Amino acid sequence: MVLRLGHRIPRDLRVTTHVCLTARAFGADGLILADVVDTTLEKTILDVCKRFGGGFWIRMGEPWRQVVKDWKSKDGEIVHLTAYGISLPEAMKPIKVTSGPKLVVVGAEKVPGEVFEAANWNVAVTNQPISEVSALAMFLDRYFEGNQFSMEFENAELKIIPSAHGKKVVNLAEPES
Amino acid sequence: MVLRLGHRIPRDLRVTTHVCLTARAFGADGLILADVVDTTLEKTILDVCKRFGGGFWIRMGEPWRQVVKDWKSKDGEIVHLTAYGISLPEAMKPIKVTSGPKLVVVGAEKVPGEVFEAANWNVAVTNQPISEVSALAMFLDRYFEGNQFSMEFENAELKIIPSAHGKKVVNLAEPES
């Protein structure tokens, strides 16, 4: 599960959309948009899910402190992705060992110090200024060990078929009888 | 080298900034912004380079067809990242075997069919709708085999030191005498 902090409407619509699409494609169950409700974002993501399938969900407007508190009360663990954290290769070892479900927290810009303290691990995908979109992709890639390349998305209406030089899309939706 | 197509001012400023930061942190030499000149973007990237070091460069306003033509005339090879392409794990094998320098092309939305034809390889980071930011990170991660985690950035004024729960930044700039 991914928790997206700091989303500002409408400024962050495109980047947060990219965060959501990445979370979905790389195997996260769903994403919570903390504190705000962005119906444009929700509509975009639900439309992708309808067309391309899978069970990815999006929730919005929940205070992040409550999400964190609830998660921890159920023995969940928190990974916060930040340029200030421990480098991903080193951080992954303890993260993979523990069995608790993981909440991956990504911020937009200024992330409150409380998040750093609440996280079980603060993880950096390089200690350079980067994008939360690429940080999330890299973390999920390492966590799920590249499994995103063999995921199936059930109930898809459309499916892209890999092509060396073209664009092949198959319409899987049932024809109306 | 990365070629960024389809950047629209001001709409794509944040996403293209994320593309540039990802390219830099993951080891690309530089990025060409095709067809348009965005001085706000340039200023942001140059500021990051000044503060965090390294030799990453940005060029702008060059017609993409000319960039592609020049690249190919010098025996360069082109990797185009697209959801329609061959899956990354499969595509990487021939890409790693050939020795020509690689130009990685990332588009914003509608990428012209000519790009698909001009590319030596059209590569998909999953065949799901995703973000060019995460696609670029994943490609460079595989191409450079995770080397981004050990890169050094020369002439940095600031350096982030990995921290388990805090924010440690060292000022490396020479004091004025």
Side-chain angles (χ1 to χ4, degrees):
Chain A
M1 194 166 93
V2 177
L3 176 63
R4 167 58 157 179
L5 304 181
H7 175 77
R8 292 152 296 180
I9 302 169
R11 176 181 160 151
D12 294 317
L13 175 61
R14 296 196 65 220
V15 174
T16 299
T17 298
H18 284 221
V19 171
C20 293
L21 294 178
T22 297
R24 174 184 172 275
F26 280 69
D29 300 324
L31 180 142
I32 297 177
L33 190 69
D35 303 303
V36 297
V37 174
D38 188 334
T39 50
T40 305
L41 172 76
E42 183 188 35
K43 186 172 179 306
T44 299
I45 300 309
L46 291 180
D47 180 62
V48 167
C49 294
K50 180 174 185 296
R51 288 188 293 141
F52 291 92
F56 187 79
W57 48 260
I58 181 166
R59 288 167 25 197
M60 306 187 294
E62 303 177 31
W64 72 261
R65 287 182 185 82
Q66 194 61 49
V67 174
V68 164
K69 188 179 170 188
D70 291 346
W71 190 254
K72 289 195 155 191
S73 72
K74 296 173 194 168
D75 296 329
E77 294 169 325
I78 297 176
V79 177
H80 170 221
L81 301 182
T82 167
Y84 298 97
I86 300 298
S87 188
L88 181 65
E90 187 186 332
M92 280 313 293
K93 299 164 200 168
I95 289 173
K96 296 285 286 285
V97 163
T98 63
S99 59
K102 305 296 188 286
L103 175 69
V104 184
V105 180
V106 290
E109 288 185 356
K110 297 287 184 190
V111 174
E114 286 175 72
V115 176
F116 286 76
E117 292 161 21
N120 295 79
W121 301 278
N122 289 286
V123 178
V125 176
T126 84
N127 295 107
Q128 293 294 318
I130 198 177
S131 168
E132 59 269 39
V133 182
S134 37
L136 181 62
M138 286 291 302
F139 177 80
L140 293 176
D141 173 69
R142 295 303 199 259
Y143 185 73
F144 290 125
E145 298 173 4
N147 193 46
Q148 65 274 15
F149 293 112
S150 51
M151 278 178 64
E152 293 291 328
F153 288 81
E154 69 276 9
N155 300 320
E157 294 178 352
L158 299 175
K159 185 170 178 174
I160 294 174
I161 306 299
S163 174
H165 287 281
K167 291 187 183 182
K168 290 184 192 159
V169 183
V170 173
N171 190 331
L172 301 172
E174 292 276 89
E176 288 180 9
S177 54
Chain B
M1 195 163 95
V2 177
L3 175 63
R4 166 55 158 183
L5 304 181
H7 175 75
R8 292 152 296 181
I9 300 168
R11 178 182 157 149
D12 293 318
L13 175 61
R14 296 196 66 221
V15 174
T16 299
T17 298
H18 285 221
V19 171
C20 292
L21 294 179
T22 296
R24 174 183 172 276
F26 280 68
D29 299 324
L31 180 142
I32 297 177
L33 190 69
D35 303 303
V36 298
V37 173
D38 188 333
T39 51
T40 306
L41 172 76
E42 182 187 37
K43 186 170 179 306
T44 298
I45 301 308
L46 292 180
D47 179 64
V48 167
C49 294
K50 179 173 187 295
R51 289 188 293 141
F52 291 92
F56 187 79
W57 48 259
I58 182 166
R59 287 164 27 193
M60 306 187 292
E62 301 177 32
W64 72 261
R65 289 182 184 83
Q66 193 61 47
V67 174
V68 165
K69 187 177 170 189
D70 292 346
W71 190 255
K72 288 196 157 194
S73 73
K74 296 170 192 168
D75 295 330
E77 295 169 322
I78 295 176
V79 177
H80 170 221
L81 301 182
T82 166
Y84 298 98
I86 301 298
S87 188
L88 181 66
E90 186 185 333
M92 279 314 293
K93 300 165 200 169
I95 289 173
K96 294 289 282 291
V97 163
T98 64
S99 57
K102 306 297 189 286
L103 175 69
V104 185
V105 181
V106 290
E109 288 185 359
K110 298 285 184 192
V111 174
E114 287 175 71
V115 176
F116 287 76
E117 291 161 21
N120 296 80
W121 301 279
N122 289 286
V123 178
V125 176
T126 83
N127 295 107
Q128 293 293 320
I130 198 178
S131 167
E132 59 270 38
V133 182
S134 35
L136 181 63
M138 286 292 300
F139 177 80
L140 294 176
D141 173 69
R142 296 301 200 262
Y143 186 72
F144 292 125
E145 299 174 2
N147 194 47
Q148 65 274 14
F149 294 110
S150 49
M151 278 178 64
E152 292 293 328
F153 288 81
E154 69 277 8
N155 301 319
E157 294 177 351
L158 299 173
K159 185 170 178 175
I160 295 173
I161 306 300
S163 175
H165 287 281
K167 291 187 183 182
K168 289 185 193 160
V169 184
V170 173
N171 190 332
L172 301 172
E174 294 277 90
E176 288 179 11
S177 53

